[in-house]
Amino acid sequence: MNIVTAAFEVSPFAKTGGLADVTQALPLEWTKQGHNAITILPKHRGINVDEFGFKKTFLTLNVPMGFSTEFAGVWEGKFPNSDSKVYLIEHEAYFNRDGIYGNPDSYFDNDRRFIFFSRAIFETIKALEITPDIISAHDYHTAYTMAFLRSYYKHEERFSKTAGVFTIHNLAYQGKYDPWRVMDFSGFGMKEFYPGSWFEKDGVVNCMKTGIMFADKITTVSPNYAQEIRQPYYSEGLHGVLNQRGGDLIGILNGVFYDEWNPKTDEKINIKFSSDNLDQKRANKFSFLGSQGLTNNDDLDLPLVCMVTRLTEQKGIDIIRERLDNLIGDKKFRFAILGSGQQNYVEYFNYLKWKYPRNAIVNIGYDEWYAHNLIAASDFLLIPSRFEPCGLTQMYGLKYGTIPIVRSTGGLADTVDEYIPEKKVGTGFVFNNYSADDFEFAMSRALDTYYSAEHLNQIRLNAMAQDNSSVKQAIEYIKVFGWALEKFNK
Ligand code: ADP
Ligand code: GLC
C-alpha cells in the first residue's frame, strides 16, 4: 500500500509526547512490512537537518489558502537506519519558530499553521507524483486533510481512490477556533459553517470534529479509550459525534518500537540488562543514582519510584500531591521525576526537591536521554492519570522491568494487570478510583512486593515478557486501511 502519514510531530525529529513515538513507529513498521510509507511533517526550527541528512529538493509547493496562494519548500530525508522516506514542509513564517505548538504558550496563529500544513500535504503528494492509497492523519492539527480529501481533491485522478483515516490521540485537545479565520483559510467559506455542520461545534470551529466526520475510518489509540470516549466523562463533549461515527471508530493499541526501547540494546543507558541478568538492572540503578550525586551513604537500595511525564492535569498529579510529601518523608522509597509543563506542578516538585534533597530527584525539562536512563534505573513507574488515551511510558516500563503503578483508565487498563501474589500473575499495580487513598494503597502493595525477592523477580519477569510491539499495531492499522479502501473497490 502507498501510505502517507501526516503529523505535526514525529520522533526522532520533533517530539513533545507519545504522538511522535507513534508517528515514528508506524511508518517504520509499514516499511519493514513491505509497504511504501512516507511521512510528512513541518520543518520546525528545532529539527537538525544536517544531523539527520535532510536535503532540500527543487520542489516548490503552491498551497491555496483561501483566496490566496502561499509557497513552500520541501526537504527530503529518511528515518535513521531505515529507507522509510520523510519530507519536511518548509515555510519560513509558519514553521521557523521555537517549539512545535508554541513557546511555551500556543501560538496565536496555530489555526492557520495547521490549515496550511494540512493543505500542503496534498500539494507535496502531487509534487512527488505519488498516488496514495491512504492518508493517515494524526490528531486535530492534521484533521483538515480529511475535509480536503473529500472536497477539493476527490475529483483529481490521483486521489480518486484514496481513503482518509484519522487517528485520535487525545480528545483533550480539539483545536477550537474562530470560524471567521478558519473557514477563510481553508477556503470553505462561512456558508459551510452553521449549527450542526461538520465544521461546527458549540459555535466555533472544532478541528477534531471535522476530522472525525470527514474520515473514512477513525482510529484511536487503545480499545478501552475507544469505548470510554463514547461516554460524556471522557469524550470532552464529542460523544455525540463519536457515537454518530461509532461504526467506523476502532481502538488499536499503541505499540512500542523496540529498536528504540529495549534494555538489552538501548544505547542511551549506562548499563544494559535483560530478564536473564536482572542484577545488572540494580547496577544500572546505582549508576544512575551516582550520576545524580548520591553516594553509598544514601541507602541506594531504597525502591526508586519514577515519573516521566508532561506536567498537565491529565496526568493525575493532583491526587498524588495530596500524599507524596508525607510518603517521601517516611523514607520508604525514593522519588524521581522528569517532566515539563504547567508552572503550578513545576513549583510543587521543586518544593519536594528542596524539602528532600536526597530522596526526591527532580528534573524539570525535556530530555530524551534522561527519560531512557530514568525508566531503566527505576523500580517502579508511576502513572496515576485521570485519563490516558493509551500511554506509552507504562509499556516502556514493562519492557525495562520497571513496574507500572497506574490508574485503570484508557490504555493503562489495557496494558497493565494487577499482580496477584498467590497466582504469580500480573505485571503491575492498578487502582480504580481517582483518589489519593487508592493511589496510596497501590503504592503500599508495590512497596511490599519490592521487599519480597521472590515476588519482585516474578513480577519483573512477567512484565518483561509482555509483548507490546509496534509490529502488531502496524498490522492492525493495515487491516483498517483495507476496510477504508473497500468502498472504492465495490
Ligand atoms: P503523552 O503523549 O500523553 O505525553 P505518552 O505516555 O503516550 O503520553 O508518551 C509520552 C512520551 O513522551 C514518552 O516517549 C515519554 O518518554 C516522553 N516524555 C514525556 N515527558 C518527557 C520529558 N520531560 N523528557 C523526555 N521525554 C518525555
Ligand atoms: C496522547 C495521549 C497518550 C498516547 C499518545 C500517543 O498524547 O495522551 O495517552 O499514548 O497520545 O498515542
Side-chain angles (χ1 to χ4, degrees):
M1 263 185 212
N2 290 335
I3 307 161
V4 176
T5 297
F8 225 66
E9 56 180 283
V10 178
S11 206
F13 314 113
K15 169 170 169 180
T16 67
L19 168 61
D21 292 349
V22 174
T23 54
Q24 170 190 37
L26 285 174
L28 283 174
E29 297 294 1
W30 291 328
T31 303
K32 282 192 200 167
Q33 291 165 15
H35 298 283
N36 175 22
I38 70 159
T39 306
I40 309 179
L41 75 157
K43 184 173 177 290
H44 300 294
R45 180 183 289 170
I47 300 178
N48 188 334
V49 285
D50 295 332
E51 178 192 342
F52 293 112
F54 282 99
K55 298 267 177 299
K56 189 167 174 130
T57 67
F58 295 109
L59 304 173
T60 300
L61 308 179
N62 299 337
V63 183
M65 282 288 278
F67 290 111
S68 59
T69 298
E70 299 192 24
F71 303 99
V74 180
W75 289 62
E76 185 179 49
K78 288 175 182 172
F79 281 103
N81 309 318
S82 167
D83 280 335
S84 196
K85 286 201 171 148
V86 180
Y87 294 92
L88 307 177
I89 309 284
E90 180 178 39
H91 188 289
E92 186 63 24
Y94 291 141
F95 304 136
N96 191 6
R97 303 182 185 190
D98 289 330
I100 296 177
Y101 308 105
N103 183 34
D105 298 329
S106 297
Y107 287 121
F108 78 96
D109 59 347
N110 271 349
D111 50 357
R112 189 166 176 167
R113 300 169 77 222
F114 298 149
I115 296 291
F116 174 81
F117 178 63
S118 299
R119 193 82 196 242
I121 297 291
F122 292 89
E123 298 306 323
T124 310
I125 293 170
K126 282 165 64 176
L128 295 171
E129 300 183 2
I130 295 167
T131 305
D133 296 298
I134 298 290
I135 293 183
S136 163
H138 293 263
D139 261 355
Y140 75 91
H141 331 109
T142 54
Y144 267 65
T145 54
M146 299 292 107
F148 293 149
L149 179 62
R150 289 283 153 258
S151 52
Y152 309 125
Y153 295 95
K154 72 175 175 189
H155 303 296
E156 294 193 21
E157 178 63 28
R158 182 184 305 287
F159 297 104
S160 60
K161 290 188 173 169
T162 307
V165 176
F166 182 56
T167 300
I168 301 168
H169 290 262
N170 194 341
L171 281 178
Y173 307 96
Q174 297 181 7
K176 298 176 184 175
Y177 297 121
D178 178 355
W180 289 96
R181 286 169 57 87
V182 173
M183 299 313 285
D184 180 17
F185 303 142
S186 62
F188 292 115
M190 284 303 279
K191 67 180 186 316
E192 298 290 341
F193 187 83
Y194 48 84
S197 96
W198 288 5
F199 299 98
E200 186 272 354
K201 176 93 179 63
D202 302 328
V204 294
V205 155
N206 185 312
C207 297
M208 195 63 111
K209 174 179 173 181
T210 303
I212 293 166
M213 293 312 294
F214 280 96
D216 293 304
K217 293 283 172 193
I218 305 122
T219 69
T220 188
V221 290
S222 70
N224 191 33
Y225 191 61
Q227 293 302 320
E228 286 176 342
I229 57 179
R230 287 160 169 259
Q231 310 294 332
Y233 181 78
Y234 286 108
S235 78
E236 308 279 345
L238 287 180
H239 48 282
V241 174
L242 288 160
N243 282 311
Q244 195 180 337
R245 293 297 321 267
D248 294 309
L249 171 64
I250 302 126
I252 301 178
L253 192 66
N254 282 341
V256 178
F257 189 57
Y258 286 133
D259 293 11
E260 191 90 25
W261 289 93
N262 181 347
K264 232 179 186 168
T265 52
D266 191 335
E267 291 299 330
K268 299 190 176 82
I269 64 177
N270 292 339
I271 299 172
K272 301 191 195 358
F273 58 90
S274 71
S275 49
D276 298 333
N277 59 354
L278 277 172
D279 48 322
Q280 291 298 92
K281 179 166 170 71
R282 188 157 170 260
N284 185 298
K285 169 171 151 181
F286 289 179
S287 152
F288 172 78
L289 292 174
S291 74
Q292 302 303 299
L294 299 184
T295 66
N296 287 336
N297 299 330
D298 287 310
D299 191 1
L300 300 182
D301 243 341
L302 269 184
L304 181 61
V305 179
C306 82
M307 294 181 81
V308 175
T309 186
R310 291 184 292 115
L311 298 175
T312 64
E313 191 272 340
Q314 163 188 352
K315 298 294 179 180
I317 296 150
D318 293 319
I319 57 167
I320 64 171
R321 75 172 163 185
E322 287 180 35
R323 299 293 157 83
L324 213 45
D325 193 339
N326 288 341
L327 288 173
I328 298 174
D330 288 346
K331 300 218 167 73
K332 291 202 180 109
F333 66 92
R334 178 171 281 120
F335 177 75
I337 183 163
L338 168 66
S340 58
Q342 261 171 244
Q343 193 54 28
N344 57 330
Y345 298 133
V346 170
E347 279 165 18
Y348 170 69
F349 288 115
N350 278 334
Y351 155 78
L352 287 182
K353 179 173 156 183
W354 166 80
K355 191 161 176 192
Y356 305 107
R358 312 205 77 73
N359 280 48
I361 301 171
V362 175
N363 185 343
I364 301 299
Y366 190 90
D367 185 336
E368 197 70 33
W369 281 75
Y370 197 97
H372 281 248
N373 278 291
L374 183 54
I375 291 175
S378 299
D379 300 301
F380 299 99
L381 181 63
L382 177 60
I383 314 172
S385 305
R386 186 171 71 76
F387 65 93
E388 194 62 73
C390 182
L392 289 165
T393 54
Q394 83 278 12
M395 293 195 257
Y396 302 151
L398 290 168
K399 184 72 179 171
Y400 285 69
T402 304
I403 303 307
I405 304 169
V406 305
R407 190 171 98 77
S408 180
T409 180
L412 297 173
D414 283 333
T415 50
V416 183
D417 294 321
E418 175 77 17
Y419 182 66
I420 304 171
E422 297 75 29
K423 296 187 179 160
K424 296 192 174 171
V425 296
T427 52
F429 299 93
V430 183
F431 60 101
N432 289 321
N433 293 321
Y434 188 64
S435 80
D437 283 345
D438 282 30
F439 151 65
E440 189 173 343
F441 184 40
M443 281 291 289
S444 70
R445 297 197 301 280
L447 297 178
D448 286 349
T449 306
Y450 183 82
Y451 289 108
S452 152
E454 180 197 352
H455 290 299
L456 181 63
N457 194 49
Q458 184 65 53
I459 193 171
R460 282 183 174 163
L461 294 180
N462 295 353
M464 293 171 93
Q466 188 169 313
D467 179 11
N468 289 307
S469 160
S470 49
V471 174
K472 289 196 273 187
Q473 173 198 14
I475 293 171
E476 291 302 311
Y477 274 81
I478 296 292
K479 277 190 209 158
V480 172
F481 294 166
W483 299 333
L485 285 169
E486 266 172 22
K487 69 176 174 194
F488 300 103
N489 297 321
K490 277 188 184 141

